[in-house]
Amino acid sequence: MTAILSAPRDTAAIGPRLLLLLVCLTLLLLAVEQRRDWQAALQPAPPVLVSLAGEHYRIPGARLETLALLSELRFAEGEAQARELVQTHLRRGLDDLFTDLSARLPAFADWYYSLSGDYARLSMLVLEKANLVDGGYEARKAQEIVFDGADFDDRLEILRLQTDSRLSTQATATREGWLMDMLEALSGDRQPVAPLDSSTVTSMDALLSDLSGYDSPEFVARISASTVAGVGVGAGAGMLLSRAISRRAAAASSRAVVARGAARGAARAAAAAGGGAAVCAPSGPVALGCAIIAGTAVWVGSDLLLLHVDEALNRKELTATMQLRLDELRQELEHNLLTAYDNVVDRQYTAMHADIQRTFVPAQTMR
């Protein structure tokens, strides 16, 4: 009776034991199947053959990853230095250029408030209304006095060329620093004889050759010309700015111009009516000529007096308005140039990082 009652308990215990046995068998089969992989993981990586600067080295496979990391770090540091160098050089160059532009604003104001400049503007305005000349005379004059006088376009181009040169020099220094890093890291593993099978060698000479191309002046100039050209700092940029300045300058003095025009009309009427007669007493042709000369003198004198009044009232406002526009251009130009050169540096060093990965990653995959 006791044996009959215990039989179901023994049968119930068979299920968990059988499941445990199946799990153990499965794990054993997986271990046998994957034995090569875990054995390889436990074994040290095979040595790697490396060529650099005409020499051959035999290094532990794990050190190849170290060399790749050192390379990435070296060029990441070089990229950061290149960006800082570009920023410093561009800002210093723009500071010098715009200081000279500001120094020429008084010369423009001198012309603007001169009698010849005043008559020239009025004459050109009449001709412009008659469609005999193109508009923008004041803009062209600002271009001539302020921007051309400071060699604006030429100095911007020189600034670009200097920045390109510094980028090229920085890339060369980065590459040479990388080469020293690699030679130092490999110095204890040089092989006296080159390997017979060159297909198994990781060629860092090929990488060195590729990296040399990215610091050539031709490469930097090519990407710079295509990228920085979009900033619009070539010929004509000064003219665009001068138009904006002259419009604001005219607005700053518009009230005085209107007042001067009204007063000028009255002065001319007075000169025509009595100016000549007051000076020339005799009659006849001589008196007529004298009256014309005297009237003209009164006319010009009144214009000159009104012009001096206008200058005393508005010259500071005029130059302050022009300086404000120069400051705005300075900020805009700096932002655009830094953005453009940020793209130049990005293209330059992205290509270097890609070559490093192409050199080291396949070598690591082959191990």
Side-chain angles (χ1 to χ4, degrees), residues 81-354:
Q81 291 173 348
R83 295 184 190 280
E84 182 178 356
L85 182 150
V86 165
Q87 185 180 84
T88 300
H89 181 67
L90 285 177
R91 285 178 173 170
R92 183 181 295 119
L94 290 175
D95 284 343
D96 292 342
L97 175 56
F98 277 82
T99 296
D100 290 346
L101 290 174
S102 296
R104 298 200 61 77
L105 293 182
F108 178 82
D110 290 343
W111 169 83
Y112 190 87
Y113 289 108
S114 68
L115 198 60
S116 60
D118 190 46
Y119 284 172
R121 291 198 308 278
L122 291 174
S123 300
M124 295 301 293
L125 180 61
V126 172
L127 295 175
E128 180 184 340
K129 296 297 183 181
N131 294 321
L132 296 177
V133 297
D134 294 332
Y137 173 69
E138 289 182 12
R140 292 191 296 273
K141 203 65 181 178
Q143 167 77 21
E144 173 189 339
I145 295 174
V146 179
F147 295 95
D148 293 348
D151 295 328
F152 181 75
D153 294 334
D154 290 342
R155 289 174 66 177
L156 276 178
E157 178 62 13
I158 292 172
L159 182 61
R160 184 184 74 82
L161 295 176
Q162 290 175 340
T163 306
D164 290 355
S165 177
R166 281 162 172 75
L167 278 180
S168 179
T169 301
Q170 171 62 26
T172 299
T174 299
R175 174 175 52 81
E176 291 176 348
W178 168 82
L179 179 59
M180 296 299 296
D181 289 344
M182 295 299 101
L183 291 174
E184 181 178 356
L186 295 169
S187 60
D189 300 292
R190 190 171 67 86
Q191 299 295 299
V193 180
L196 297 177
D197 185 4
S198 60
S199 63
T200 62
V201 177
T202 298
S203 177
M204 294 175 66
D205 283 318
L207 175 59
L208 179 61
S209 177
D210 291 338
L211 294 175
S212 299
Y214 301 122
D215 57 39
S216 69
E218 294 77 14
F219 174 81
V220 176
R222 185 167 65 252
I223 60 176
S224 169
S226 63
T227 305
V228 181
V231 175
V233 296
M239 177 63 79
L240 293 176
L241 173 62
S242 66
R243 288 195 183 104
I245 289 180
S246 61
R247 283 197 299 270
R248 296 182 68 174
S253 295
S254 59
R255 295 185 303 274
V257 169
V258 172
R260 222 170 47 231
R264 182 178 286 147
R268 287 172 180 170
V279 176
C280 304
S283 59
V286 175
L288 177 62
C290 179
I292 292 175
I293 294 174
T296 302
V298 173
W299 185 348
V300 172
S302 65
D303 278 352
L304 187 59
L305 176 62
L306 292 169
L307 196 61
H308 286 328
V309 172
D310 184 11
E311 180 178 14
L313 294 175
N314 296 288
R315 180 180 175 117
K316 289 184 179 180
E317 183 181 358
L318 172 68
T319 54
T321 300
M322 296 176 72
Q323 183 60 58
L324 178 63
R325 189 65 186 99
L326 279 181
D327 293 341
E328 292 172 354
L329 176 69
R330 167 72 173 75
Q331 295 176 2
E332 179 182 351
L333 191 55
E334 178 182 324
H335 171 76
N336 291 342
L337 282 173
L338 288 177
T339 300
Y341 269 104
D342 186 68
N343 292 331
V344 171
V345 174
D346 184 67
R347 290 175 59 182
Q348 185 182 26
Y349 282 84
T350 295
M352 296 180 190
H353 288 297

Side-chain angles (χ1 to χ4, degrees), residues 32-52:
V32 172
E33 181 67 23
Q34 302 294 328
R35 66 184 184 279
R36 291 183 178 179
D37 293 339
W38 57 262
Q39 286 176 351
L42 294 176
Q43 293 178 353
V48 176
L49 297 175
V50 175
S51 67
L52 177 62

